[in-house]
Amino acid sequence: MINKKEKYIKAIIEAKWGEKNVYWIPTDIIWFDEFGQSLALALEDYIWIKEICFFDEKIKKSDKYHYLDFNNMFEKTEIMIFTKELTSYYFKEIKNLNPNVSIILDSSFKNTIEILNSNGFQKNIILIDN
């Protein structure tokens, strides 16, 4: 049986057309909880560590990964991975989000999905069922 972390990695690789294509892609993990940190570590097998960034309100420093404020990720991110549901407060600058971003998130994150859909990112969303 495929686990949650494997589902996220599979979705990233499929969204960017194979393992060879993801190494240099700016990848941002939204919320650096236990799962987010575990996912970052697993992504090191596919994505250059300098391209793995994270956002979290509580954790703002890591010895391995680069912290960015949420809105500062928008312009350059190509893969945005949500490990937590966010409120609309965080999306004030969504107009600056890269229009070609692949957004990977849990299908239960209804609020985030609605915000992304209502701002024209329907085709960018990849839902993970758990």
Side-chain angles (χ1 to χ4, degrees), residues 86-110:
L86 295 184
T87 65
S88 59
Y89 165 81
Y90 292 97
F91 295 93
K92 293 177 184 175
E93 302 296 323
I94 196 166
K95 67 185 180 302
N96 296 327
L97 184 56
N98 174 2
N100 299 312
V101 66
S102 295
I103 304 165
I104 302 165
L105 67 161
D106 192 292
S107 61
S108 69
F109 296 172
K110 302 297 183 194

PDB file of all heavy atoms in Angstrom, residues 86-110:
ATOM      1  N   LEU A  86      -4.669  26.181   5.349  1.00  0.00           N
ATOM      2  CA  LEU A  86      -4.434  27.578   5.715  1.00  0.00           C
ATOM      3  C   LEU A  86      -5.709  28.400   5.569  1.00  0.00           C
ATOM      4  O   LEU A  86      -6.547  28.107   4.720  1.00  0.00           O
ATOM      5  CB  LEU A  86      -3.346  28.197   4.836  1.00  0.00           C
ATOM      6  CG  LEU A  86      -1.941  27.622   4.954  1.00  0.00           C
ATOM      7  CD1 LEU A  86      -0.977  28.429   4.090  1.00  0.00           C
ATOM      8  CD2 LEU A  86      -1.454  27.608   6.393  1.00  0.00           C
ATOM      9  N   THR A  87      -5.815  29.446   6.374  1.00  0.00           N
ATOM     10  CA  THR A  87      -6.955  30.353   6.276  1.00  0.00           C
ATOM     11  C   THR A  87      -6.717  31.359   5.160  1.00  0.00           C
ATOM     12  O   THR A  87      -5.598  31.515   4.663  1.00  0.00           O
ATOM     13  CB  THR A  87      -7.162  31.117   7.596  1.00  0.00           C
ATOM     14  OG1 THR A  87      -6.028  31.963   7.817  1.00  0.00           O
ATOM     15  CG2 THR A  87      -7.346  30.159   8.768  1.00  0.00           C
ATOM     16  N   SER A  88      -7.742  32.083   4.807  1.00  0.00           N
ATOM     17  CA  SER A  88      -7.651  33.074   3.731  1.00  0.00           C
ATOM     18  C   SER A  88      -6.660  34.185   4.050  1.00  0.00           C
ATOM     19  O   SER A  88      -6.137  34.824   3.142  1.00  0.00           O
ATOM     20  CB  SER A  88      -9.028  33.659   3.431  1.00  0.00           C
ATOM     21  OG  SER A  88      -9.559  34.260   4.587  1.00  0.00           O
ATOM     22  N   TYR A  89      -6.369  34.415   5.314  1.00  0.00           N
ATOM     23  CA  TYR A  89      -5.409  35.439   5.730  1.00  0.00           C
ATOM     24  C   TYR A  89      -4.079  35.324   4.971  1.00  0.00           C
ATOM     25  O   TYR A  89      -3.483  36.321   4.594  1.00  0.00           O
ATOM     26  CB  TYR A  89      -5.157  35.318   7.237  1.00  0.00           C
ATOM     27  CG  TYR A  89      -3.946  36.074   7.712  1.00  0.00           C
ATOM     28  CD1 TYR A  89      -4.013  37.446   7.946  1.00  0.00           C
ATOM     29  CD2 TYR A  89      -2.731  35.420   7.902  1.00  0.00           C
ATOM     30  CE1 TYR A  89      -2.890  38.147   8.372  1.00  0.00           C
ATOM     31  CE2 TYR A  89      -1.612  36.107   8.326  1.00  0.00           C
ATOM     32  CZ  TYR A  89      -1.690  37.473   8.548  1.00  0.00           C
ATOM     33  OH  TYR A  89      -0.579  38.153   8.952  1.00  0.00           O
ATOM     34  N   TYR A  90      -3.635  34.129   4.745  1.00  0.00           N
ATOM     35  CA  TYR A  90      -2.334  33.897   4.116  1.00  0.00           C
ATOM     36  C   TYR A  90      -2.310  34.204   2.618  1.00  0.00           C
ATOM     37  O   TYR A  90      -1.243  34.352   2.031  1.00  0.00           O
ATOM     38  CB  TYR A  90      -1.902  32.446   4.325  1.00  0.00           C
ATOM     39  CG  TYR A  90      -1.578  32.134   5.753  1.00  0.00           C
ATOM     40  CD1 TYR A  90      -2.520  31.541   6.583  1.00  0.00           C
ATOM     41  CD2 TYR A  90      -0.334  32.446   6.280  1.00  0.00           C
ATOM     42  CE1 TYR A  90      -2.226  31.250   7.901  1.00  0.00           C
ATOM     43  CE2 TYR A  90      -0.025  32.161   7.601  1.00  0.00           C
ATOM     44  CZ  TYR A  90      -0.979  31.571   8.403  1.00  0.00           C
ATOM     45  OH  TYR A  90      -0.682  31.297   9.711  1.00  0.00           O
ATOM     46  N   PHE A  91      -3.473  34.303   2.005  1.00  0.00           N
ATOM     47  CA  PHE A  91      -3.543  34.406   0.555  1.00  0.00           C
ATOM     48  C   PHE A  91      -3.794  35.820   0.038  1.00  0.00           C
ATOM     49  O   PHE A  91      -4.260  36.004  -1.080  1.00  0.00           O
ATOM     50  CB  PHE A  91      -4.625  33.464   0.027  1.00  0.00           C
ATOM     51  CG  PHE A  91      -4.292  32.025   0.262  1.00  0.00           C
ATOM     52  CD1 PHE A  91      -4.746  31.370   1.397  1.00  0.00           C
ATOM     53  CD2 PHE A  91      -3.518  31.322  -0.638  1.00  0.00           C
ATOM     54  CE1 PHE A  91      -4.433  30.033   1.632  1.00  0.00           C
ATOM     55  CE2 PHE A  91      -3.205  29.993  -0.428  1.00  0.00           C
ATOM     56  CZ  PHE A  91      -3.667  29.345   0.712  1.00  0.00           C
ATOM     57  N   LYS A  92      -3.455  36.816   0.822  1.00  0.00           N
ATOM     58  CA  LYS A  92      -3.701  38.206   0.416  1.00  0.00           C
ATOM     59  C   LYS A  92      -2.963  38.580  -0.864  1.00  0.00           C
ATOM     60  O   LYS A  92      -3.445  39.406  -1.633  1.00  0.00           O
ATOM     61  CB  LYS A  92      -3.313  39.162   1.547  1.00  0.00           C
ATOM     62  CG  LYS A  92      -4.199  39.050   2.756  1.00  0.00           C
ATOM     63  CD  LYS A  92      -3.742  39.960   3.865  1.00  0.00           C
ATOM     64  CE  LYS A  92      -4.598  39.738   5.103  1.00  0.00           C
ATOM     65  NZ  LYS A  92      -4.138  40.494   6.246  1.00  0.00           N
ATOM     66  N   GLU A  93      -1.809  37.991  -1.102  1.00  0.00           N
ATOM     67  CA  GLU A  93      -0.988  38.312  -2.274  1.00  0.00           C
ATOM     68  C   GLU A  93      -1.030  37.215  -3.330  1.00  0.00           C
ATOM     69  O   GLU A  93      -0.106  37.088  -4.138  1.00  0.00           O
ATOM     70  CB  GLU A  93       0.461  38.558  -1.836  1.00  0.00           C
ATOM     71  CG  GLU A  93       0.621  39.663  -0.820  1.00  0.00           C
ATOM     72  CD  GLU A  93       0.226  41.031  -1.351  1.00  0.00           C
ATOM     73  OE1 GLU A  93       0.486  41.301  -2.533  1.00  0.00           O
ATOM     74  OE2 GLU A  93      -0.363  41.821  -0.582  1.00  0.00           O
ATOM     75  N   ILE A  94      -2.111  36.456  -3.372  1.00  0.00           N
ATOM     76  CA  ILE A  94      -2.171  35.306  -4.274  1.00  0.00           C
ATOM     77  C   ILE A  94      -2.027  35.696  -5.751  1.00  0.00           C
ATOM     78  O   ILE A  94      -1.595  34.903  -6.567  1.00  0.00           O
ATOM     79  CB  ILE A  94      -3.449  34.472  -4.040  1.00  0.00           C
ATOM     80  CG1 ILE A  94      -3.275  33.097  -4.698  1.00  0.00           C
ATOM     81  CG2 ILE A  94      -4.681  35.217  -4.522  1.00  0.00           C
ATOM     82  CD1 ILE A  94      -4.274  32.084  -4.278  1.00  0.00           C
ATOM     83  N   LYS A  95      -2.316  36.937  -6.075  1.00  0.00           N
ATOM     84  CA  LYS A  95      -2.158  37.385  -7.468  1.00  0.00           C
ATOM     85  C   LYS A  95      -0.701  37.277  -7.927  1.00  0.00           C
ATOM     86  O   LYS A  95      -0.420  37.241  -9.114  1.00  0.00           O
ATOM     87  CB  LYS A  95      -2.668  38.810  -7.628  1.00  0.00           C
ATOM     88  CG  LYS A  95      -1.851  39.852  -6.882  1.00  0.00           C
ATOM     89  CD  LYS A  95      -2.455  41.237  -6.973  1.00  0.00           C
ATOM     90  CE  LYS A  95      -1.679  42.284  -6.254  1.00  0.00           C
ATOM     91  NZ  LYS A  95      -1.450  42.093  -4.839  1.00  0.00           N
ATOM     92  N   ASN A  96       0.240  37.190  -6.978  1.00  0.00           N
ATOM     93  CA  ASN A  96       1.654  37.074  -7.302  1.00  0.00           C
ATOM     94  C   ASN A  96       2.123  35.629  -7.466  1.00  0.00           C
ATOM     95  O   ASN A  96       3.281  35.388  -7.786  1.00  0.00           O
ATOM     96  CB  ASN A  96       2.507  37.734  -6.205  1.00  0.00           C
ATOM     97  CG  ASN A  96       2.251  39.217  -6.118  1.00  0.00           C
ATOM     98  OD1 ASN A  96       1.982  39.886  -7.106  1.00  0.00           O
ATOM     99  ND2 ASN A  96       2.320  39.749  -4.911  1.00  0.00           N
ATOM    100  N   LEU A  97       1.228  34.675  -7.258  1.00  0.00           N
ATOM    101  CA  LEU A  97       1.597  33.262  -7.356  1.00  0.00           C
ATOM    102  C   LEU A  97       1.908  32.900  -8.806  1.00  0.00           C
ATOM    103  O   LEU A  97       1.159  33.253  -9.723  1.00  0.00           O
ATOM    104  CB  LEU A  97       0.464  32.389  -6.820  1.00  0.00           C
ATOM    105  CG  LEU A  97       0.709  30.886  -6.748  1.00  0.00           C
ATOM    106  CD1 LEU A  97       1.948  30.552  -5.936  1.00  0.00           C
ATOM    107  CD2 LEU A  97      -0.510  30.193  -6.164  1.00  0.00           C
ATOM    108  N   ASN A  98       3.017  32.204  -8.999  1.00  0.00           N
ATOM    109  CA  ASN A  98       3.436  31.740 -10.325  1.00  0.00           C
ATOM    110  C   ASN A  98       2.257  31.026 -11.006  1.00  0.00           C
ATOM    111  O   ASN A  98       1.736  30.045 -10.472  1.00  0.00           O
ATOM    112  CB  ASN A  98       4.623  30.779 -10.152  1.00  0.00           C
ATOM    113  CG  ASN A  98       5.059  30.106 -11.425  1.00  0.00           C
ATOM    114  OD1 ASN A  98       4.536  30.347 -12.499  1.00  0.00           O
ATOM    115  ND2 ASN A  98       6.043  29.237 -11.298  1.00  0.00           N
ATOM    116  N   PRO A  99       1.833  31.484 -12.168  1.00  0.00           N
ATOM    117  CA  PRO A  99       0.675  30.867 -12.826  1.00  0.00           C
ATOM    118  C   PRO A  99       0.936  29.441 -13.300  1.00  0.00           C
ATOM    119  O   PRO A  99       0.003  28.713 -13.612  1.00  0.00           O
ATOM    120  CB  PRO A  99       0.389  31.799 -14.006  1.00  0.00           C
ATOM    121  CG  PRO A  99       1.646  32.546 -14.229  1.00  0.00           C
ATOM    122  CD  PRO A  99       2.355  32.619 -12.915  1.00  0.00           C
ATOM    123  N   ASN A 100       2.188  29.009 -13.329  1.00  0.00           N
ATOM    124  CA  ASN A 100       2.536  27.658 -13.775  1.00  0.00           C
ATOM    125  C   ASN A 100       2.860  26.703 -12.620  1.00  0.00           C
ATOM    126  O   ASN A 100       3.329  25.593 -12.856  1.00  0.00           O
ATOM    127  CB  ASN A 100       3.724  27.719 -14.731  1.00  0.00           C
ATOM    128  CG  ASN A 100       3.390  28.540 -15.947  1.00  0.00           C
ATOM    129  OD1 ASN A 100       2.345  28.366 -16.567  1.00  0.00           O
ATOM    130  ND2 ASN A 100       4.262  29.469 -16.284  1.00  0.00           N
ATOM    131  N   VAL A 101       2.600  27.129 -11.404  1.00  0.00           N
ATOM    132  CA  VAL A 101       2.895  26.316 -10.230  1.00  0.00           C
ATOM    133  C   VAL A 101       2.050  25.048 -10.218  1.00  0.00           C
ATOM    134  O   VAL A 101       0.904  25.047 -10.686  1.00  0.00           O
ATOM    135  CB  VAL A 101       2.653  27.140  -8.940  1.00  0.00           C
ATOM    136  CG1 VAL A 101       1.187  27.493  -8.766  1.00  0.00           C
ATOM    137  CG2 VAL A 101       3.197  26.425  -7.719  1.00  0.00           C
ATOM    138  N   SER A 102       2.625  23.969  -9.709  1.00  0.00           N
ATOM    139  CA  SER A 102       1.870  22.761  -9.399  1.00  0.00           C
ATOM    140  C   SER A 102       1.628  22.784  -7.899  1.00  0.00           C
ATOM    141  O   SER A 102       2.577  22.903  -7.120  1.00  0.00           O
ATOM    142  CB  SER A 102       2.655  21.512  -9.780  1.00  0.00           C
ATOM    143  OG  SER A 102       2.849  21.451 -11.170  1.00  0.00           O
ATOM    144  N   ILE A 103       0.367  22.696  -7.501  1.00  0.00           N
ATOM    145  CA  ILE A 103      -0.004  22.808  -6.095  1.00  0.00           C
ATOM    146  C   ILE A 103      -0.517  21.452  -5.628  1.00  0.00           C
ATOM    147  O   ILE A 103      -1.516  20.953  -6.146  1.00  0.00           O
ATOM    148  CB  ILE A 103      -1.084  23.890  -5.894  1.00  0.00           C
ATOM    149  CG1 ILE A 103      -0.601  25.225  -6.461  1.00  0.00           C
ATOM    150  CG2 ILE A 103      -1.461  24.001  -4.425  1.00  0.00           C
ATOM    151  CD1 ILE A 103      -1.697  26.247  -6.631  1.00  0.00           C
ATOM    152  N   ILE A 104       0.173  20.880  -4.657  1.00  0.00           N
ATOM    153  CA  ILE A 104      -0.161  19.546  -4.182  1.00  0.00           C
ATOM    154  C   ILE A 104      -0.664  19.657  -2.747  1.00  0.00           C
ATOM    155  O   ILE A 104       0.018  20.216  -1.890  1.00  0.00           O
ATOM    156  CB  ILE A 104       1.067  18.628  -4.284  1.00  0.00           C
ATOM    157  CG1 ILE A 104       1.538  18.583  -5.747  1.00  0.00           C
ATOM    158  CG2 ILE A 104       0.758  17.243  -3.749  1.00  0.00           C
ATOM    159  CD1 ILE A 104       2.901  18.031  -5.968  1.00  0.00           C
ATOM    160  N   LEU A 105      -1.883  19.148  -2.530  1.00  0.00           N
ATOM    161  CA  LEU A 105      -2.462  19.251  -1.199  1.00  0.00           C
ATOM    162  C   LEU A 105      -3.470  18.150  -0.948  1.00  0.00           C
ATOM    163  O   LEU A 105      -3.988  17.539  -1.880  1.00  0.00           O
ATOM    164  CB  LEU A 105      -3.082  20.625  -0.963  1.00  0.00           C
ATOM    165  CG  LEU A 105      -4.310  21.028  -1.758  1.00  0.00           C
ATOM    166  CD1 LEU A 105      -4.997  22.179  -1.060  1.00  0.00           C
ATOM    167  CD2 LEU A 105      -3.933  21.444  -3.150  1.00  0.00           C
ATOM    168  N   ASP A 106      -3.731  17.941   0.314  1.00  0.00           N
ATOM    169  CA  ASP A 106      -4.684  16.938   0.755  1.00  0.00           C
ATOM    170  C   ASP A 106      -6.087  17.350   0.303  1.00  0.00           C
ATOM    171  O   ASP A 106      -6.461  18.515   0.423  1.00  0.00           O
ATOM    172  CB  ASP A 106      -4.618  16.821   2.283  1.00  0.00           C
ATOM    173  CG  ASP A 106      -5.363  15.624   2.806  1.00  0.00           C
ATOM    174  OD1 ASP A 106      -6.617  15.614   2.711  1.00  0.00           O
ATOM    175  OD2 ASP A 106      -4.711  14.705   3.310  1.00  0.00           O
ATOM    176  N   SER A 107      -6.846  16.398  -0.174  1.00  0.00           N
ATOM    177  CA  SER A 107      -8.201  16.683  -0.664  1.00  0.00           C
ATOM    178  C   SER A 107      -9.134  17.186   0.431  1.00  0.00           C
ATOM    179  O   SER A 107     -10.189  17.746   0.139  1.00  0.00           O
ATOM    180  CB  SER A 107      -8.796  15.449  -1.338  1.00  0.00           C
ATOM    181  OG  SER A 107      -8.893  14.387  -0.416  1.00  0.00           O
ATOM    182  N   SER A 108      -8.762  17.028   1.684  1.00  0.00           N
ATOM    183  CA  SER A 108      -9.605  17.500   2.789  1.00  0.00           C
ATOM    184  C   SER A 108      -9.412  18.986   3.091  1.00  0.00           C
ATOM    185  O   SER A 108     -10.154  19.549   3.882  1.00  0.00           O
ATOM    186  CB  SER A 108      -9.331  16.684   4.057  1.00  0.00           C
ATOM    187  OG  SER A 108      -8.035  16.960   4.555  1.00  0.00           O
ATOM    188  N   PHE A 109      -8.450  19.647   2.458  1.00  0.00           N
ATOM    189  CA  PHE A 109      -8.170  21.060   2.718  1.00  0.00           C
ATOM    190  C   PHE A 109      -9.125  21.946   1.916  1.00  0.00           C
ATOM    191  O   PHE A 109      -8.734  22.688   1.017  1.00  0.00           O
ATOM    192  CB  PHE A 109      -6.719  21.402   2.380  1.00  0.00           C
ATOM    193  CG  PHE A 109      -5.679  20.706   3.223  1.00  0.00           C
ATOM    194  CD1 PHE A 109      -4.342  20.809   2.893  1.00  0.00           C
ATOM    195  CD2 PHE A 109      -6.014  19.959   4.337  1.00  0.00           C
ATOM    196  CE1 PHE A 109      -3.359  20.192   3.656  1.00  0.00           C
ATOM    197  CE2 PHE A 109      -5.048  19.321   5.105  1.00  0.00           C
ATOM    198  CZ  PHE A 109      -3.712  19.436   4.758  1.00  0.00           C
ATOM    199  N   LYS A 110     -10.387  21.870   2.245  1.00  0.00           N
ATOM    200  CA  LYS A 110     -11.456  22.519   1.473  1.00  0.00           C
ATOM    201  C   LYS A 110     -11.291  24.035   1.365  1.00  0.00           C
ATOM    202  O   LYS A 110     -11.520  24.621   0.312  1.00  0.00           O
ATOM    203  CB  LYS A 110     -12.830  22.181   2.066  1.00  0.00           C
ATOM    204  CG  LYS A 110     -13.130  20.713   2.137  1.00  0.00           C
ATOM    205  CD  LYS A 110     -13.173  20.073   0.772  1.00  0.00           C
ATOM    206  CE  LYS A 110     -13.543  18.605   0.882  1.00  0.00           C
ATOM    207  NZ  LYS A 110     -13.287  17.866  -0.321  1.00  0.00           N
TER     208      LYS A 110
END
